[in-house]
Amino acid sequence: MTYWTEKVFGHVRAIVRGRVPEAFINRCVRDDVRIKDIRRIDQTSMAFTLALADVKRIRPILRATDCRIRFLDRRGFPFLMMRLTSRAGIVVGCVAGLFALFLLSNMVWNIEIDGADPKLEQQIRTSLKKMNVHVGSIEFFLPPLATIEGKLAGELDEATWVGVSKDGTTYHIEVVQKELPEDKESLEPRDLVAAKEARIKKMFVEKGVAKVETDTVVSPGDLLVSGAIGKDGNPTFVAAKGEVIGETWYRSTTTVPLKMTYQTFTGKTYTKHRLSVFGFDVPIWGWKARPFAHAKQETVEKPFHFLFWDLPISYKKVIVRATDVTHRQLNEAEAVKVGRENARKELLSQLPKGAKITFESVERRTVENGAVCLNLFFTVEENIAKPRPFIPEQRRQSLQKKQKEKPVP
Amino acid sequence: MARKWRNKLQEWFVAHTDLPADVIMDLPRVTMIGRLHIYIENHKGVLTFTKEELRLSMKNGQILIKGRDFVLKTILPEEILLEGTIRSVEFIDE
C-alpha cells in the first residue's frame, strides 16, 4: 500500500534494532508517528517504512526505547530529485537533446521550386532569402504562407502564378512561368484600322501607306494605314506598322459625397504574443485587453512541431493596429475638384499607355442627397491604330477590280 | 461493586437494543478476509510480533494470532492490519 503522498513526499525503509523492538512500535503508535509494513527480521530487529517527514521525530523514541536505527532505502520524489541533481549532466543533456530535436523539427530543411527555369529559380531564392526563408531558418519567425506568396508574386514579373505550400519541414514553391512571346516582327500582311471613333491628330507611319489625313474624323474599322504598297496594278504587301494619334471623346459621371466618414490607421501598433495550448490562449507578452479605443487586429498562428507530429501548442501573434475615425466635410468646390480627379484617374486606367487628357469640362453639376453629381466631358489623345490582317490574294483581286472600274467614268 | 453493575447494564443494553457490542462494551472487533488479512480494532498495544505470531493486549486479556509470513501493514492507535497466512486466532484470559 503505497499512497501517492508517499511518492510525492518520499519515504524511507529502515531497520530498528533493540532488545524489545515491540516497545518501539508501541511508542511510535502512541506518539502518532506513522510506521507501516513492519516485518520481523530476527530476535532483536524489525524492518519498517517511515515517511520522510517523520524521520526527525523518531530520534526521541529511539532514545526512550533503547533502540538503534539503520536506513536501508530511500524512495520517492525528493530522493529522485536528489539523485537527478547528482547526475545533472545527464539530465541537462537529455533536456538539451529534446530541445535540439524540437528546434530542428521547426526548421526549414528544404525549399523545392517547381516550374521555374534556372534564372527564375535563382531570383526566387534571393527574394525568399530577403524574407528570411532559407534552409535552416526557424519557422516561428517566418511570415505566413499567404504573405510569402503575395510578395513573390509581386516581385516576379516573369511568373503568372506563384503557389507556396508547406509539407513538414519542406517548402514547395510552384511557379507558372509566363510564356513571353519573342518580340518577332509580324510578317503577315496587315492593315492598321481605327479602334474607335476619333479625329486624326498625328500619324507616324513606319511601314505601309497612310490612307487618311490629319483632321479627318474616322469611325471604328476605318482603314488608316494600308499594307498594300507600290503600284495599284501590282502591289506588294507588308505588315503595316505605325502610330496614329487620334483625338477621342469621353463622357463620365461621378458622385462625390460631401460628408464622409472613413477609418485611417494611425500607425500605432500593439503586438500581443500568445501561446495557444489545446485551444486556450495563454498570454506571454502583451497583457492589455484593449490597447486602443478604435483598432483592427490580425492574428498570425504558428503551430509547433515535434518530429512529424503537430503539437497541440501553437504560437499566436496578434497585431492590433490603432485606427482613427475621420470625418471629412467638403464644400461644393472641393467636391468638384475631388470628383474631377477621380474621374480622370478612372478614365486613364481604362485607356492604353501613352494616352493623355487634353481637355476636360464639367457639363452638368447637381447637388442632391448631400452629394455632388458631376457629368464630365474629356478630350483625349491616344493611339487608335489596331492591326487587321488580310489575305494578299483577295486584296490583289479587289484592287484590280477597283482599277478596272476607275477609268470607266 | 459499581463495576459489576456497569457490566450488567452494558450486557442488558446489547441484549435489548440493536447497537453493536463492540461500541458499547469496548470489545475488540476482528475482521478477517479469508486467511490473508486480519483487521483488529480496539487493541491496546503490541506485546510480541514475529513472523509467526502477533500478540496484542486487550481490555481484558490478550489476543494471539498465529500463522506464517506476517507483515504489519498498518498500525494506528486503535487499529491494526496484519497480512500473511493466518492459522489461528486465540483469546487468552488474564
Side-chain angles (χ1 to χ4, degrees):
Chain A
M1 266 196 275
T2 43
Y3 298 104
W4 66 270
T5 45
E6 285 183 2
K7 290 219 166 112
V8 172
F9 301 114
H11 55 109
V12 291
R13 186 93 181 145
I15 288 180
V16 65
R17 190 181 291 277
R19 212 166 43 79
V20 194
E22 283 89 349
F24 170 77
I25 295 175
N26 285 331
R27 189 61 183 252
C28 281
V29 171
R30 217 186 65 197
D31 291 359
D32 202 25
V33 174
R34 301 284 169 90
I35 58 172
K36 57 202 314 186
D37 288 341
I38 306 156
R39 211 182 278 265
R40 188 80 185 214
I41 294 171
D42 54 41
Q43 192 64 41
T44 54
S45 56
M46 283 185 193
F48 65 95
T49 304
L50 179 73
L52 181 62
D54 286 336
V55 167
K56 276 181 190 157
R57 292 172 54 201
I58 215 165
R59 294 276 164 212
I61 301 171
L62 289 167
R63 218 172 295 133
T65 56
D66 197 20
C67 290
R68 282 167 192 285
I69 199 167
R70 189 157 59 88
F71 292 102
L72 296 177
D73 213 2
R74 301 137 188 262
R75 284 185 206 141
F77 186 68
F79 297 115
L80 184 72
M81 283 314 288
M82 255 161 61
R83 270 196 292 266
L84 285 184
T85 42
S86 66
R87 289 170 180 76
I90 296 170
V91 175
V92 169
C94 282
V95 171
L98 280 178
F99 182 73
L101 205 57
F102 172 72
L103 212 61
L104 292 176
S105 307
N106 289 289
M107 213 176 231
V108 178
W109 279 93
N110 197 6
I111 297 172
E112 281 178 7
I113 298 173
D114 279 344
D117 59 20
K119 194 185 138 211
L120 186 62
E121 194 175 321
Q122 194 51 48
Q123 214 177 326
I124 291 172
R125 284 195 194 277
T126 31
S127 32
L128 282 178
K129 202 158 256 180
K130 255 186 254 157
M131 287 180 256
N132 279 325
V133 183
H134 52 84
V135 172
S137 54
I138 304 293
E139 231 205 272
F140 316 127
F141 307 119
L142 299 186
L145 294 181
T147 313
I148 298 178
E149 208 172 281
K151 270 195 183 167
L152 277 183
E155 273 175 40
L156 305 171
D157 296 330
E158 288 173 49
T160 359
W161 180 79
V162 182
V164 179
S165 62
K166 208 185 64 144
D167 182 17
T169 54
T170 304
Y171 275 78
H172 290 284
I173 291 156
E174 251 179 280
V175 187
V176 176
Q177 230 173 321
K178 268 179 208 166
E179 293 292 328
L180 285 181
E182 277 167 40
D183 210 10
K184 59 178 181 192
E185 285 285 305
S186 172
L187 297 172
E188 301 281 309
R190 60 177 194 181
D191 296 329
L192 292 181
V193 296
K196 32 189 126 177
E197 192 184 9
R199 189 167 70 203
I200 308 300
K201 279 291 216 185
K202 284 176 218 157
M203 295 183 79
F204 308 102
V205 181
E206 270 181 56
K207 270 185 190 161
V209 184
K211 288 290 182 185
V212 284
E213 281 171 24
T214 48
D215 281 340
T216 50
V217 176
V218 292
S219 35
D222 283 359
L223 184 68
L224 299 177
V225 180
S226 170
I229 51 175
K231 284 171 195 155
D232 280 355
N234 187 22
T236 45
F237 300 110
V238 293
K241 197 179 167 194
E243 226 175 44
V244 180
I245 305 296
E247 187 185 75
T248 49
W249 311 278
Y250 296 93
R251 282 198 163 77
S252 75
T253 313
T254 53
T255 313
V256 182
L258 289 174
K259 210 179 197 175
M260 250 167 91
T261 307
Y262 54 99
Q263 281 191 325
T264 47
F265 288 109
T266 58
K268 278 184 199 152
T269 57
Y270 184 80
T271 314
K272 297 183 197 175
H273 302 273
R274 298 274 180 274
L275 200 64
S276 178
V277 183
F278 293 103
F280 294 101
D281 283 3
V282 182
I284 304 171
W285 196 251
W287 305 83
K288 287 183 196 167
R290 276 173 61 90
F292 307 113
H294 300 278
K296 278 185 177 171
Q297 64 176 44
E298 54 185 272
T299 309
V300 180
E301 193 166 353
K302 292 271 174 193
F304 285 11
H305 306 283
F306 191 78
L307 293 179
F308 15 81
W309 301 290
D310 273 359
L311 298 183
I313 305 168
S314 55
Y315 163 71
K316 243 187 209 174
K317 191 167 151 190
V318 181
I319 301 163
V320 185
R321 297 183 196 283
T323 54
D324 234 352
V325 179
T326 318
H327 299 281
R328 188 178 70 170
Q329 178 73 52
L330 296 175
N331 60 32
E332 217 178 301
E334 281 167 341
V336 171
K337 208 170 140 194
V338 170
R340 284 169 82 152
E341 186 61 38
N342 288 351
R344 213 179 295 145
K345 272 186 198 155
E346 199 191 326
L347 179 64
L348 283 178
S349 72
Q350 288 166 3
L351 295 178
K353 263 186 195 168
K356 69 176 188 253
I357 293 167
T358 51
F359 174 77
E360 67 176 83
S361 70
V362 179
E363 288 191 320
R364 212 166 79 93
R365 178 167 107 181
T366 49
V367 182
E368 49 184 51
N369 297 332
V372 176
C373 189
L374 294 176
N375 285 9
L376 292 159
F377 174 78
F378 292 99
T379 309
V380 178
E381 276 181 18
E382 61 178 311
N383 185 11
I384 58 160
K386 185 176 83 176
R388 187 176 67 188
F390 60 83
I391 299 163
E393 211 42 51
Q394 280 180 0
R395 177 63 62 92
R396 193 190 309 263
Q397 279 169 9
S398 72
L399 282 174
Q400 278 167 358
K401 213 163 133 192
K402 232 183 232 170
Q403 212 176 15
K404 269 180 204 163
E405 282 166 6
K406 237 183 193 172
V408 173
Chain B
M1 195 64 182
R3 202 171 191 182
K4 217 171 181 182
W5 271 101
R6 214 178 90 183
N7 280 354
K8 281 259 160 105
L9 191 68
Q10 280 175 346
E11 271 167 36
W12 182 88
F13 234 94
V14 173
H16 293 86
T17 62
D18 279 340
L19 289 170
D22 61 310
V23 176
I24 295 166
M25 298 176 74
D26 201 20
L27 296 173
R29 168 187 275 249
V30 181
T31 314
M32 282 181 76
I33 299 161
R35 46 192 307 200
L36 294 176
H37 290 264
I38 183 160
Y39 185 71
I40 303 145
E41 288 169 69
N42 282 340
H43 71 92
K44 297 279 181 274
V46 181
L47 294 176
T48 48
F49 170 64
T50 64
K51 268 183 190 166
E52 281 85 30
E53 190 185 279
L54 173 67
R55 194 186 285 265
L56 295 173
S57 165
M58 290 293 155
K59 199 181 155 203
N60 337 297
Q62 295 172 6
I63 186 165
L64 176 65
I65 300 150
K66 285 189 175 171
R68 280 186 286 117
D69 307 324
F70 280 179
V71 177
L72 265 180
K73 287 310 265 187
T74 319
I75 177 159
L76 294 169
E78 298 256 283
E79 35 187 281
I80 267 186
L81 177 63
L82 181 73
E83 204 182 79
T85 312
I86 295 144
R87 196 174 301 132
S88 70
V89 180
E90 195 180 325
F91 290 89
I92 300 164
D93 291 324
E94 251 169 344

Coordinates of all heavy atoms in Angstrom, one line a residue, chain A residues 15 46 76 153 184 186 226 228 241 265 330 353 356 398:
Chain A
I15 N 15.8 -0.3 9.5 CA 15.8 -1.4 10.4 C 16.0 -0.9 11.8 O 16.9 -0.1 12.0 CB 16.9 -2.4 10.0 CG1 16.5 -3.2 8.7 CG2 17.1 -3.4 11.2 CD1 17.5 -4.2 8.3
M46 N 13.6 -5.4 13.5 CA 12.4 -5.3 12.7 C 12.7 -4.3 11.6 O 13.4 -3.3 11.8 CB 11.2 -4.8 13.5 CG 10.6 -5.8 14.4 SD 9.2 -5.1 15.1 CE 8.8 -6.3 16.4
G76 N 10.9 7.8 -3.5 CA 10.0 9.0 -3.7 C 10.7 10.1 -4.3 O 11.9 10.1 -4.6
A153 N 4.8 36.9 -55.8 CA 4.0 37.2 -57.0 C 4.3 38.7 -57.4 O 4.3 39.0 -58.5 CB 2.5 37.0 -56.7
K184 N 8.8 39.1 -82.2 CA 9.1 39.0 -83.6 C 8.3 40.0 -84.4 O 7.2 40.3 -84.1 CB 8.9 37.6 -84.0 CG 7.5 37.1 -83.9 CD 7.3 35.7 -84.4 CE 5.9 35.3 -84.2 NZ 5.6 33.9 -84.4
S186 N 5.9 41.0 -87.1 CA 4.9 40.2 -87.7 C 5.1 40.3 -89.2 O 5.2 41.4 -89.8 CB 3.5 40.8 -87.4 OG 2.5 40.2 -88.1
S226 N -2.6 51.4 -95.0 CA -2.8 50.2 -95.8 C -1.5 49.4 -95.9 O -0.4 50.0 -95.9 CB -3.2 50.6 -97.2 OG -3.2 49.5 -98.0
A228 N -0.8 47.5 -98.4 CA -0.5 47.3 -99.8 C 0.3 48.5 -100.3 O -0.2 49.6 -100.3 CB -1.8 47.1 -100.6
K241 N 2.8 49.2 -90.1 CA 3.3 49.5 -88.7 C 3.3 51.0 -88.5 O 3.7 51.7 -89.4 CB 4.7 48.9 -88.6 CG 5.0 48.7 -87.1 CD 6.4 48.1 -87.0 CE 6.9 48.2 -85.6 NZ 8.4 47.9 -85.5
F265 N -5.5 54.3 -40.5 CA -4.6 53.7 -39.5 C -3.7 54.8 -39.0 O -3.1 55.6 -39.8 CB -3.8 52.6 -40.1 CG -4.6 51.4 -40.3 CD1 -4.9 51.0 -41.6 CD2 -5.0 50.6 -39.3 CE1 -5.6 49.8 -41.8 CE2 -5.8 49.5 -39.5 CZ -6.1 49.1 -40.8
L330 N -16.7 68.4 -47.1 CA -16.2 69.1 -48.2 C -17.2 70.2 -48.6 O -18.4 70.0 -48.4 CB -16.1 68.2 -49.4 CG -15.1 67.1 -49.3 CD1 -15.2 66.2 -50.6 CD2 -13.7 67.6 -49.2
K353 N -1.6 52.8 -72.7 CA -0.5 53.6 -72.2 C -0.2 54.7 -73.2 O -0.3 54.5 -74.4 CB 0.8 52.7 -72.1 CG 1.0 52.2 -70.7 CD 2.3 51.5 -70.6 CE 2.4 50.7 -69.4 NZ 3.5 49.8 -69.4
K356 N -3.2 60.7 -73.2 CA -3.3 61.9 -72.3 C -4.5 62.7 -72.5 O -5.0 62.8 -73.7 CB -2.0 62.7 -72.4 CG -1.7 63.4 -73.7 CD -0.4 64.2 -73.5 CE -0.3 65.1 -74.8 NZ 0.7 64.7 -75.7
S398 N -9.3 42.6 -105.3 CA -10.2 43.7 -105.1 C -9.6 45.0 -105.7 O -10.2 45.9 -106.2 CB -10.5 43.9 -103.6 OG -9.4 44.3 -102.9

